[in-house]
């Protein structure tokens, strides 16, 4: 069976499963078809002296080297699988097309959209992996055995120190080119806070945050917007608040080691965060249409001053300004549950590209990553995904996200850590967090909290035990 037929079969299986996924808190919610591709024919006029392809070893080489297999007969194509949709996908497509025009190497761009995670799990099971793919936060924990180490690439020395630990395994190996890094915290509308008499720099504890929400609600504005129609956004809320309760330095219920080794006492400690969310629901701190509102409506609400806060990616700054260009948006870290505890930003992978270890086109795949690492191309990807720069030489001044982050860092005592679920939960808990928060949203009583707790506890135990086998 051909590679293309295997892929079509895998995508068909996924469609039948009717599962949902999260490409990341910062991803678009539009669902492009799993079969959407873009392929350009390779150039037919390469000279004979270019018959042997070479890895790109410099910026010039990345742009100018021709690949013999791609240019000889047009019978070779790099398959690149990504999770982008909508306008970001079109911007990435332009970068890919420029790579083909520059090198003669054809690229088949595949995007399963919202089914990306499910598709990739199916492809891992079948062994039919794309040549290059985005790892959506799991380059080490999930994809390491399928990826080739990239420490020897020329762009390695350009990786920002803040993202390097997140993408490195215990031996110090990395398996992706990190073009951008995701950073999660809280995004807010500056005017809404000002009108309510709230100073963002004074939100240092969860009590401070709840007091701010009350002032904002009394001023006639929704404190926190949730686009629950895109149900994974509820998991963003849980994932954003969890460190304040369980893992950030100075938190009220320190449990990081217990969550990692499987000894966390769910019955004693698992309710605290769920109870906080239930209290917020009962206090009217969320939009009343949280079930029918989608993620896009959250950007509209934040931009138009109809809500004060969103939990999730700092990339929401750019996405909100894309809706209301002149709005003033700020970011703050998630406050601690204890006075004197550290506020937290969670750092993870943004647009990160890895190479399948068994690809038949390793040289061309490395040349593709080299091309993406060039500042002019990395900046275009950063503009598309709205996340923080991850490589030296990128245009930090041109990143709304980075500028908002820099404005915040001097006002808080910040603790940095990996995204909560990626660091402290076994793989596969994202949809469980989604379902648990939905239980609390629909029934913020003790009964709803108990159902949510059972979901988290049972799935955590099952997935943790399965990971130990």
């Amino acid at each position: 069976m051909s590679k293309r037929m295997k892929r079509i079969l895998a995508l068909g299986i996924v469609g039948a499963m009717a599962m949902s996924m999260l490409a990341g808190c910062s991803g678009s919610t539009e669902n492009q078809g799993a079969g959407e591709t873009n392929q350009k024919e390779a150039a037919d006029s390469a000279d004979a002296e270019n018959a042997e392809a070479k890895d790109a070893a410099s910026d010039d080489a990345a742009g100018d080297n021709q690949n013999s297999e791609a240019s000889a007969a047009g019978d070779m194509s790099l398959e690149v699988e990504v999770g982008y949709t909508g306008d970001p996908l079109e911007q990435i497509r332009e970068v890919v097309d420029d790579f083909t025009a520059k090198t003669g190497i054809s690229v088949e761009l595949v995007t399963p959209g919202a089914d990306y995670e499910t598709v990739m799990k199916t492809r891992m099971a079948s062994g039919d992996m794309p040549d290059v793919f985005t790892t959506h936060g799991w380059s080490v924990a999930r994809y390491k055995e399928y990826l080739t180490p990239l420490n020897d690439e020329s762009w390695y020395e350009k990786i920002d120190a803040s993202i390097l630990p997140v993408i490195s395994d215990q031996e110090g190996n990395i398996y992706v080119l990190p073009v951008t890094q995701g950073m999660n915290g809280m995004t807010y509308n500056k005017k809404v806070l000002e009108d309510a008499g709230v100073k963002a720099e004074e939100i240092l504890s969860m009590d401070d945050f709840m007091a701010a929400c009350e002032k904002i609600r009394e001023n006639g504005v929704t404190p926190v917007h949730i686009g629950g129609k895109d149900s994974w956004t509820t998991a963003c809320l849980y994932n954003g608040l969890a460190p304040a309760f369980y893992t950030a330095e100075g938190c009220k219920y320190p449990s990081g080691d217990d969550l990692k080794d499987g000894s966390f006492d769910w019955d004693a400690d698992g309710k605290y965060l769920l109870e906080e969310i239930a209290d917020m629901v009962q206090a009217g701190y969320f939009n009343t249409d949280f079930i029918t509102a989608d993620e896009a409506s959250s950007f509209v609400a934040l931009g138009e001053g109809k809500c004060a806060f969103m939990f999730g990616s700092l990339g929401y700054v750019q996405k909100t300004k894309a809706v209301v260009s002149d709005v003033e948006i700020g970011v703050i870290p998630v406050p601690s549950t204890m006075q004197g505890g550290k506020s937290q930003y969670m750092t993870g992978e943004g647009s990160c590209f890895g190479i399948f270890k068994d690809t038949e086109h390793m040289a061309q795949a490395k040349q593709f990553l080299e091309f993406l690492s060039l500042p002019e191309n990395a900046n275009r990807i950063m503009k598309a995904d709205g996340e923080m720069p991850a490589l030296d030489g990128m245009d930090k001044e041109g990143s709304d996200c980075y500028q908002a982050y820099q404005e915040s860092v001097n006002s808080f005592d910040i603790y940095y850590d990996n995204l909560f679920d990626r660091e402290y939960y076994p793989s596969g808990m994202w949809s469980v967090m989604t379902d648990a928060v939905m239980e609390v949203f629909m029934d913020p009583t003790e009964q709803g909290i108990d159902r949510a707790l059972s979901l988290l506890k049972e799935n955590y135990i099952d997935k943790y035990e399965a990971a130990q086998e």
Side-chain angles (χ1 to χ4, degrees):
M1 184 183 295
S2 70
K3 185 174 183 180
R4 180 180 294 275
M5 288 303 297
K6 287 181 180 178
R7 185 170 67 256
I8 292 173
L9 178 59
L11 295 176
I13 293 171
V14 170
M17 293 167 68
M19 298 174 64
S20 63
M21 57 74 69
L22 171 77
C25 274
S26 60
S28 169
T29 60
E30 297 178 39
N31 187 0
Q32 301 289 330
E36 179 178 349
T37 62
N38 177 52
Q39 181 173 0
K40 293 181 66 70
E41 291 296 326
D44 295 324
S45 59
D47 295 331
E49 61 266 29
N50 289 330
E52 182 177 359
K54 298 180 180 180
D55 289 354
S58 66
D59 288 357
D60 289 340
D64 297 332
N65 280 358
Q66 295 291 315
N67 178 267
S68 62
E69 188 175 2
S71 56
D75 59 352
M76 162 282 171
S77 180
L78 277 179
E79 183 190 355
V80 178
E81 190 146 354
V82 299
Y84 309 106
T85 60
D87 186 60
L89 174 63
E90 296 311 310
Q91 294 181 61
I92 298 299
R93 194 187 304 281
E94 291 178 4
V95 176
V96 170
D97 288 349
D98 285 350
F99 171 74
T100 296
K102 191 73 173 178
T103 65
I105 300 173
S106 180
V107 175
E108 180 185 15
L109 191 64
V110 180
T111 174
D115 289 326
Y116 187 85
E117 184 173 13
T118 304
V119 168
M120 290 306 297
K121 286 180 179 179
T122 302
R123 298 194 69 166
M124 285 189 290
S126 68
D128 172 39
M129 297 293 283
D131 301 301
V132 177
F133 58 95
T134 53
T135 53
H136 59 102
W138 296 96
S139 65
V140 175
R142 182 178 298 172
Y143 295 120
K144 173 182 174 180
E145 65 179 290
Y146 300 92
L147 294 169
T148 190
L150 297 169
N151 299 58
D152 294 334
E153 298 307 298
S154 62
W155 42 259
Y156 177 85
E157 298 300 328
K158 300 197 304 184
I159 298 175
D160 190 280
S162 62
I163 187 64
L164 190 58
V166 174
I167 61 173
S168 299
D169 65 11
Q170 292 182 344
E171 289 73 41
N173 293 317
I174 68 161
Y175 301 86
V176 287
L177 163 69
V179 179
T180 63
Q181 54 185 314
M183 189 171 289
N184 282 24
M186 298 166 61
T187 311
Y188 68 92
N189 183 303
K190 291 185 177 182
K191 188 175 187 304
V192 169
L193 265 63
E194 180 182 347
D195 290 347
V198 174
K199 294 182 178 180
E201 64 272 17
E202 294 180 356
I203 302 177
L204 303 176
S205 70
M206 199 58 63
D207 287 341
D208 296 334
F209 176 63
M210 294 305 169
C213 286
E214 184 60 22
K215 286 184 178 181
I216 292 163
R217 186 192 65 80
E218 290 177 349
N219 203 41
V221 178
T222 298
V224 181
H225 201 279
I226 296 290
K229 182 179 179 181
D230 297 318
S231 58
W232 55 265
T233 60
T234 61
C236 287
L237 174 67
Y238 186 98
N239 215 42
L241 285 171
F245 286 79
Y246 300 120
T247 59
E249 188 174 319
C251 65
K252 195 170 185 179
Y253 313 104
S255 307
D257 291 341
D258 295 341
L259 286 164
K260 284 186 173 183
D261 67 18
S263 64
F264 180 69
D265 190 339
W266 284 97
D267 295 321
D269 300 326
K271 282 188 178 182
Y272 295 125
L273 172 53
L274 297 172
E275 289 173 339
E276 189 82 356
I277 295 174
D279 288 345
M280 293 177 69
V281 174
Q282 292 178 327
Y285 293 164
F286 297 108
N287 49 302
T288 56
D289 63 344
F290 65 84
I291 294 179
T292 57
D294 58 14
E295 185 200 31
S297 68
S298 294
F299 303 136
V300 173
L302 188 64
E304 294 182 348
K306 296 177 181 177
C307 78
F309 297 102
M310 285 182 67
F311 281 86
S313 168
L314 303 195
Y316 291 167
V317 174
Q318 178 173 306
K319 293 187 176 183
T320 302
K321 290 177 76 68
V323 177
V324 182
S325 60
D326 60 348
V327 67
E328 293 189 35
I329 300 294
V331 301
I332 58 173
V334 176
S336 174
T337 43
M338 296 287 286
Q339 289 289 349
K342 289 190 174 184
S343 300
Q344 177 164 332
Y345 277 130
M346 290 140 281
T347 303
E349 297 176 20
S351 290
C352 294
F353 298 81
I355 300 174
F356 180 39
K357 65 180 180 64
D358 294 327
T359 177
E360 297 177 357
H361 313 298
M362 183 64 73
Q364 297 92 331
K366 287 186 174 183
Q367 190 173 349
F368 179 67
L369 264 58
E370 182 77 21
F371 183 81
L372 299 185
S373 76
L374 301 180
E376 60 268 27
N377 299 321
N379 287 335
R380 293 162 72 186
I381 294 172
M382 179 176 67
K383 182 179 179 181
D385 71 16
E387 299 286 358
M388 302 268 285
L391 298 170
D392 291 343
M394 293 178 66
D395 181 19
K396 295 180 179 179
E397 296 298 321
S399 168
D400 292 328
C401 175
Y402 183 81
Q403 294 306 311
Y405 163 73
Q406 284 297 109
E407 185 179 320
S408 75
V409 294
N410 295 326
S411 299
F412 301 92
D413 187 11
I414 300 173
Y415 178 73
Y416 294 90
D417 198 2
N418 196 358
L419 296 174
F420 179 80
D421 67 309
R422 296 170 188 174
E423 184 70 17
Y424 299 102
Y425 274 174
S427 178
M429 286 292 289
W430 190 266
S431 61
V432 181
M433 292 189 294
T434 294
D435 293 342
V437 176
M438 275 298 186
E439 286 285 354
V440 175
F441 272 26
M442 299 303 295
D443 181 10
T445 67
E446 193 66 29
Q447 289 74 26
I449 293 171
D450 286 342
R451 288 194 296 272
L453 179 64
S454 294
L455 278 171
L456 289 168
K457 176 183 177 180
E458 292 169 8
N459 280 275
Y460 169 89
I461 291 173
D462 288 347
K463 295 178 187 301
Y464 181 86
E465 290 178 349
Q468 307 310 306
E469 295 176 356

